[in-house]
Amino acid sequence: MSYQSSASSASVSISPIQQMVASCSGAIITSIFVTPLDVVKIRLQAQKTPFPKGKCFVYCNGLMDHICVCVNGNSRAWYKASNHFNGTVDAFIKIIRQEGIKSLWSGLPPTLVMAVPATVIYFTCYDQLCTALKARMTDHTQEAPLLAGGIARVGSATVISPLELIRTKLQSQKQSYRELTDCIRSAVEAEGWLSLWRGLGPTLLRDVPFSAMYWYNYERAKSFLCQHYNTSEPTIRISFLSGALSGSIAAIVTLPFDVVKTRRQVELGELQAKNLSCQGSTFKCMSRIVAEQGFSGLFVGFLPRLIKVAPACAIMISTYEFGKAFFASTTWRGRYNPYFTICSVTGIFTHNHFYGLQRMV
């Protein structure tokens, strides 16, 4: 199969289900590559400033940020105290030697339950919206990715936000599902349904501008590189470079929003873990950062964010584009079946199994 020959028609010739499978596969591959970097970062951070009981920290699997609560300080299940680390490389080596290579993906499975569906909703909605907007914005088709990216991010973040709140409560308070239901019901009765979306504001403040700029720059960079390499269709290398470049630009521009969002989410997580009411606003949080650290405080963590975002964007978009091109190839057109499509992408069946299944269906 030629990735290059089918890339241009991928978004047109494949179904939403195939787009969902492609984005799901890309999400899993991205999290596998990016999660170890964040696990090591958290371990180094905890070595410098240990996390006490009830303290929250941000865990990123390359797809989205999650607030984690330290239940018993350093004795938490996936977080183990170890020998002193002398930098990132030393941390990688010692974690693998002393705890096994699986420890580099500690805490990943619970977060994928929300991160993968959020990514699937986001990428599928973007493709569908972008195609629809381009058909209507005949004179302004270049701006379609800008609008589609922002709208798709609003949709995915709105759907996932209540689930992230529930996950934080389950983790921090060790409640049964019955107790959790009673807790959520009492919160809704006291503060209204909007309390389930508390923390959504800071997320949208960062993610919507990021997504809009990311997709706009990605489409422009992809077109530019195709012209530069004198090719009519993007290759995997072009998608990878375009994703890394556009992700880096968006990460730099939205860095102040990321600082505010992280601070605000950690504060909300710690208050929710203690069943305390959440007061204040995102604007007050930003004002407090400026008052304490000056405007430079809004740009803290520039390099770590860039190192995390650029490869995550590059891996995700290149695997997603490859997945779409795979489904759009002439080999698969006309005989699509959702069941063996999912099986083939995840590698469950071998070549012989596939043809045996095809005869069955």
Side-chain angles (χ1 to χ4, degrees), residues 148-159:
I151 295 171
R153 178 57 76 181
V154 171
S156 63
T158 302
V159 171

Side-chain angles (χ1 to χ4, degrees), residues 33-322:
F33 277 99
V34 176
T35 297
L37 298 175
D38 207 63
V39 169
V40 170
K41 183 207 74 174
I42 292 172
R43 299 288 288 270
L44 289 171
Q45 179 184 354
Q47 176 178 273
K48 183 178 180 181
T49 308
F51 298 134
K53 182 178 179 179
K55 180 68 176 177
C56 287
F57 60 93
V58 178
Y59 175 94
C60 179
N61 53 24
L63 304 173
M64 62 183 291
D65 295 337
H66 301 272
I67 296 299
C68 293
V69 184
C70 287
V71 180
N72 296 312
N74 289 349
S75 64
R76 189 166 179 270
W78 75 268
Y79 175 74
K80 301 176 183 178
S82 184
N83 293 337
H84 182 79
F85 300 135
N86 297 312
T88 302
V89 176
D90 184 59
F92 268 107
I93 294 173
K94 287 183 177 178
I95 290 174
I96 293 174
R97 284 179 178 175
Q98 298 171 10
E99 304 172 31
I101 194 169
K102 290 183 179 180
S103 295
L104 292 177
W105 289 272
S106 298
L108 178 60
T111 63
L112 287 181
V113 174
M114 281 169 297
V116 171
T119 304
V120 169
I121 294 171
Y122 173 48
F123 276 79
T124 306
C125 286
Y126 168 78
D127 265 342
Q128 296 294 318
L129 284 169
C130 195
T131 301
L133 289 172
K134 284 182 177 179
R136 289 165 174 77
M137 301 169 61
T138 54
D139 297 330
H140 303 279
T141 55
Q142 289 187 341
E143 284 72 33
L146 193 75
L147 293 175
I151 295 171
R153 178 57 76 181
V154 171
S156 63
T158 302
V159 171
I160 296 299
S161 186
L163 301 179
E164 178 69 7
L165 175 68
I166 292 172
R167 186 195 66 83
T168 303
K169 284 184 175 293
L170 279 174
Q171 180 200 18
S172 61
Q173 299 175 15
K174 299 294 184 182
Q175 295 177 330
S176 66
Y177 285 101
R178 182 182 181 85
E179 293 172 332
L180 179 65
T181 302
D182 294 338
C183 179
I184 294 173
R185 185 183 295 113
S186 61
V188 169
E189 291 175 353
E191 304 178 49
W193 283 100
L194 290 179
S195 62
L196 296 179
W197 282 269
R198 185 176 287 115
L200 178 62
T203 300
L204 295 181
L205 180 65
R206 182 198 68 175
D207 290 355
V208 172
F210 179 94
S211 298
M213 282 185 287
Y214 170 77
W215 285 109
Y216 178 78
N217 290 323
Y218 171 73
E219 299 291 352
R220 297 297 296 270
K222 186 170 65 173
S223 298
F224 173 80
L225 289 175
C226 284
Q227 293 178 1
H228 177 75
Y229 289 107
N230 194 26
T231 177
S232 59
E233 306 298 344
T235 61
I236 292 181
R237 180 173 65 172
I238 288 176
S239 295
F240 188 92
L241 293 175
S242 300
L245 179 62
S246 56
S248 298
I249 294 173
I252 293 170
V253 175
T254 59
L255 181 58
F257 300 141
D258 179 67
V259 172
V260 174
K261 182 241 183 190
T262 301
R263 174 78 73 88
R264 181 66 176 153
Q265 277 199 317
V266 168
E267 291 175 353
L268 290 174
E270 291 176 354
L271 289 172
Q272 290 166 0
K274 299 174 183 176
N275 275 332
L276 299 176
S277 60
C278 304
Q279 300 177 350
S281 65
T282 302
F283 179 75
K284 289 183 179 179
C285 180
M286 181 180 291
S287 301
R288 187 164 63 252
I289 293 174
V290 173
E292 294 173 356
Q293 306 175 31
F295 282 100
S296 61
L298 295 175
F299 295 89
V300 172
F302 165 78
L303 190 58
R305 175 162 166 76
L306 197 60
I307 293 173
K308 176 178 68 176
V309 171
C313 289
I315 296 170
M316 180 65 214
I317 195 62
S318 57
T319 52
Y320 177 59
E321 294 283 15
F322 179 83

Side-chain angles (χ1 to χ4, degrees), residues 13-28:
S13 62
I14 71 174
S15 69
I17 292 179
Q18 290 171 315
Q19 291 174 341
M20 293 169 69
V21 174
S23 57
C24 179
S25 303
I28 294 173

